[in-house]
Amino acid sequence: DTAVSQTPKYLVTQMGNDKSIKCEQNLGHDTMYWYKQDSKKFLKIMFSYNNKELIINETVPNRFSPKSPDKAHLNLHINSLELGDSAVYFCASSQENRGTGNTIYFGEGSWLTVV
Amino acid sequence: QQQVKQSPQSLIVQKGGISIINCAYENTAFDYFPWYQQFPGKGPALLIAIRPDVSEKKEGRFTISFNKSAKQFSLHIMDSQPGDSATYFCAATRSGTYKYIFGTGTRLKVLA
């Protein structure tokens, strides 16, 4: 009963391919995110959806397209993969709480290697 | 304005020692400051968090010290254990924005 689950965990693919990473959360949260973590461990937000509406769209190549079919799911599709896309992609979710703050819960990550 | 500067980049501590990681922010609108712990092969997980209306928060061996006037906050790990070896991220966010600004991470290694 993992709170934020993403698949696949590992993905090795060739340049130019199109791939998708799926994410589901069972926490009942309104907001979901995609973060990218590079080889230096920097965590950078890519997208955020609140109640299926896109609310954050950082400077990300338009080869990356998020899709949120419902509040519990946020998928990431990547077209024409490039070597520089190799990274760990984390899905996350949160629920704004005035008392405790907006705690983000991360999935275990999807390791993408483009060769 | 949106940066969170974290130091040191890496830290080696003997078992039983105190680990201290520092962060500094610029945006005074931030009102929630969490620390995340990430083990190899895993996602970051919330460790402890603080709001700017208090100067210190303690949970077990982990303490956040917060200095609002200096716009700095730090994580202290008392009696550090080898199991604490991980990467630690500070972060800052403003309520309602859904946008976290993460520090660059500190790789902590606690020697047995």
Side-chain angles (χ1 to χ4, degrees):
Chain A
D1 55 342
T2 306
V4 181
S5 58
Q6 51 185 112
T7 56
K9 188 170 176 73
Y10 300 102
L11 185 54
V12 180
T13 188
Q14 291 189 325
M15 275 195 307
N17 283 351
D18 303 339
K19 291 294 177 186
S20 293
I21 307 172
K22 295 185 176 181
C23 179
E24 176 182 4
Q25 55 97 2
N26 63 7
L27 296 167
H29 289 168
D30 288 339
T31 307
M32 295 187 72
Y33 310 78
W34 277 110
Y35 277 83
K36 180 180 180 180
Q37 187 172 46
D38 61 22
S39 57
K40 293 185 178 180
K41 296 282 194 177
F42 295 156
L43 269 170
K44 190 170 180 186
I45 190 167
M46 300 173 67
F47 303 103
S48 176
Y49 273 74
N50 178 258
N51 286 314
K52 300 196 301 175
E53 297 286 330
L54 180 66
I55 56 171
I56 296 175
N57 184 354
E58 292 295 289
T59 308
V60 177
N62 56 16
R63 298 182 294 104
F64 291 78
S65 54
K67 286 211 170 36
S68 181
D70 55 56
K71 276 175 36 173
H73 296 84
L74 179 61
N75 304 321
L76 183 65
H77 188 75
I78 315 170
N79 289 328
S80 304
L81 278 156
E82 301 177 356
L83 292 176
D85 297 332
S86 296
V88 184
Y89 293 86
F90 286 101
C91 179
S93 72
S94 72
Q95 182 74 35
E96 185 78 22
N97 183 312
R98 289 287 171 188
T100 60
N102 185 23
T103 299
I104 290 184
Y105 294 84
F106 286 89
E108 299 231 315
S110 294
W111 268 251
L112 173 64
T113 302
V114 182
V115 296
Chain B
Q1 269 273 322
Q2 289 287 47
Q3 278 190 333
V4 175
K5 295 181 180 178
Q6 182 172 347
S7 63
Q9 188 175 11
S10 62
L11 183 60
I12 299 175
V13 173
Q14 293 287 340
K15 179 182 175 182
I18 302 173
S19 305
I20 302 174
I21 305 170
N22 301 299
C23 284
Y25 63 98
E26 298 170 354
N27 189 343
T28 55
F30 290 145
D31 60 2
Y32 184 63
F33 300 88
W35 284 89
Y36 279 78
Q37 180 187 54
Q38 184 180 23
F39 292 107
K42 301 291 184 182
L46 178 69
L47 184 63
I48 186 173
I50 197 168
R51 288 201 175 274
D53 52 348
V54 296
S55 60
E56 185 174 284
K57 184 173 182 180
K58 184 175 181 179
E59 289 183 2
R61 296 184 294 108
F62 301 91
T63 300
I64 301 178
S65 296
F66 189 87
N67 186 329
K68 189 173 181 178
S69 60
K71 294 187 283 186
Q72 295 175 347
F73 58 110
S74 59
L75 176 69
H76 296 237
I77 307 175
M78 313 300 287
D79 187 26
S80 298
Q81 299 297 312
D84 297 330
S85 298
T87 299
Y88 292 82
F89 294 93
C90 63
T93 186
R94 179 182 174 187
S95 297
T97 64
Y98 302 99
K99 193 169 182 179
Y100 269 47
I101 307 299
F102 281 91
T104 49
T106 296
R107 298 189 192 206
L108 171 66
K109 185 174 178 63
V110 181
L111 301 176

